Amino acid sequence: MHAINYEAPSTLEQAVSILKAHGEKARPFCGGTDIIIQLRAGVRRTEHLVDVKKIKELRSLSFDPKKGLRLGAAVQCIEIHESEMMHRYYPGLTEAAHLIGSLQIQNRASVGGNLCNGSPAADTTPSLIALGAKARIVGAKGEREVPVESFVVSPGRTVLEPGELLVELLIPPPAPHSSDAYLRFIPRNEMDIAVVGVGAAVTFDGEKIKSARIGLAAVAATPLVATKAAESLAGKKLDDASLAEAGRLASECTSPIDDMRGTAEYRRHITGVLTRRVLAIAAERAKKN
Ligand SMILES: Cc1cc2nc3c(=O)[nH]c(=O)nc-3n(C[C@@H](O)[C@@H](O)[C@H](O)COP(=O)(O)OP(=O)(O)OC[C@H]3O[C@@H](n4cnc5c(N)ncnc54)[C@H](O)[C@@H]3O)c2cc1C
């Protein structure tokens, strides 16, 4: 690995100014569980690593019943799993964060880094999509918010311009009678990349579904929002027929590849199965809220 300068600013202003000064030659990082491996393997190159873990705004994990969740980009997955508030209000996102690697990896890995790495198979991204999360981005030219489903533009590439930083993820408060869930399928019971990952959030109005959102991983070049599948549920009871229809529409919106973990056809099939299952889990939880 070539020599790399390391800086760890303690304010957002300092980080933005360092990133601006070095342009494309600098990269921000949080836990390093992706970037260090990529730099060692030579698949990414940078001259300056800007460690953003000391910046207060990127460390926040705070919930307001009216405004929702502010999840700082550098909050580690283990902090999410250890938070009672997260288990109560966002159980699906919490289980996605707790699936990443091992406990050692979760002690370093962040949800922000999982998203910024731009992998189509990132485990927390479908949950963020299901929850309607927005990414708050800050750079030298100012600030912007991007819905998470538009954040990844191709494998390994995101909407972030050189010098921009993901500061936090903003997630609306859960509506009454709503909840979320995440399921993934991996080829073996070890640490592995998802063959398919599905996150879902549902809101009930009495016995019927008021609204739903579904996010998919590892079934296209970018994480997907399964809009038609989710919309097909509105106004219906969550029964075998509505689940089957949502599963069918979710697998229809995918464009998977064949690889060593599974064929495209297999991925489409698993998408339908997991969508039905994850919706049923989210619904069980929602009925208790
Ligand atoms: C053994 C092992 C097992 C794993 N298992 C899984 C798994 O099961 N599921 C899964 O989804 N992932 C898995 N991963 C990958 C997972 O650890 C990462 O995706 C992690 O979540 C990234 O977070 P990080 O803080 O370490 O990111 P980093 O490595 O620090 O950064 C990742 C990328 O995002 C950019 N970046 C980071 N933070 C910011 C920011 N605030 N603003 C702008 N850009 C930023 C960096 O420049 C870099 O390109 C595994 C990794 C390992 C090593």
Side-chain angles (χ1 to χ4, degrees):
M1 199 160 101
H2 60 283
I4 295 170
N5 294 310
Y6 168 90
E7 290 186 73
S10 51
T11 68
L12 198 48
E13 293 70 30
Q14 284 169 0
V16 168
S17 121
I18 296 168
L19 288 168
K20 187 182 174 202
H22 299 296
E24 294 195 2
K25 292 183 177 163
R27 282 194 87 89
F29 85 107
C30 292
T33 63
D34 280 322
I35 190 84
I36 303 289
I37 291 167
Q38 291 161 359
L39 290 169
R40 273 185 187 278
V43 293
R44 282 218 202 261
R45 226 192 127 76
T46 195
E47 288 179 17
H48 303 268
L49 275 179
V50 184
D51 184 342
V52 292
K53 282 194 295 294
K54 291 187 179 160
I55 304 171
K56 191 172 83 283
E57 289 91 330
L58 277 83
R59 301 281 329 148
S60 109
L61 179 62
S62 67
F63 177 71
D64 178 302
K66 290 207 176 88
K67 293 183 188 151
L69 183 74
R70 301 185 88 98
L71 170 56
V75 171
Q76 289 127 4
C77 292
I78 199 76
E79 292 178 71
I80 294 177
H81 181 64
E82 286 176 350
S83 158
E84 265 180 46
M85 173 275 288
M86 288 299 296
H87 281 273
R88 179 165 172 204
Y89 295 111
Y90 305 101
L93 177 58
T94 306
E95 57 207 358
H98 194 47
L99 276 175
I100 290 187
S102 56
L103 282 179
Q104 289 90 335
I105 296 294
Q106 288 163 31
N107 263 291
R108 293 208 58 89
S110 61
V111 172
N114 200 223
L115 178 64
C116 291
N117 187 50
S119 163
D123 274 309
T124 58
T125 310
S127 281
L128 293 171
I129 292 173
L131 291 169
K134 292 207 170 109
R136 183 160 85 90
I137 299 166
V138 171
K141 290 184 196 149
E143 179 170 331
R144 60 189 175 124
E145 282 180 19
V146 174
V148 165
E149 58 266 33
S150 311
F151 192 86
V152 180
V153 293
S154 62
R157 270 199 58 227
T158 69
V159 294
L160 291 173
E161 302 284 347
E164 281 190 323
L165 196 63
L166 172 67
V167 174
E168 58 187 350
L169 295 151
L170 305 171
I171 303 182
H177 316 300
S178 75
S179 195
D180 70 323
Y182 179 73
L183 283 179
R184 76 167 175 189
F185 181 78
I186 50 174
R188 56 198 183 121
N189 206 14
E190 302 280 339
M191 280 188 269
D192 208 334
I193 298 169
V195 173
V196 178
V198 187
V202 286
T203 303
F204 277 87
D205 182 4
E207 285 296 300
K208 293 190 175 157
I209 300 156
K210 190 174 171 193
S211 61
R213 280 181 65 88
I214 300 167
L216 305 174
V219 290
T222 64
L224 295 180
V225 54
T227 309
K228 278 190 187 165
E231 285 177 357
S232 77
L233 294 162
K236 291 187 190 153
K237 284 190 173 175
L238 199 80
D239 53 19
D240 287 351
S242 60
L243 283 173
E245 178 67 353
R248 189 183 66 76
L249 289 167
S251 54
E252 246 179 51
C253 79
T254 64
S255 44
I257 52 162
D258 295 319
D259 70 6
M260 63 180 181
R261 292 188 175 77
T263 62
E265 190 190 351
Y266 185 56
R267 284 193 155 94
R268 271 193 215 99
H269 172 71
I270 299 288
T271 303
V273 174
L274 288 193
T275 299
R276 296 198 299 270
R277 288 186 189 167
V278 81
L279 281 166
I281 297 168
E284 272 306 305
R285 291 174 176 164
K287 284 176 185 167
K288 292 180 191 149
N289 288 338

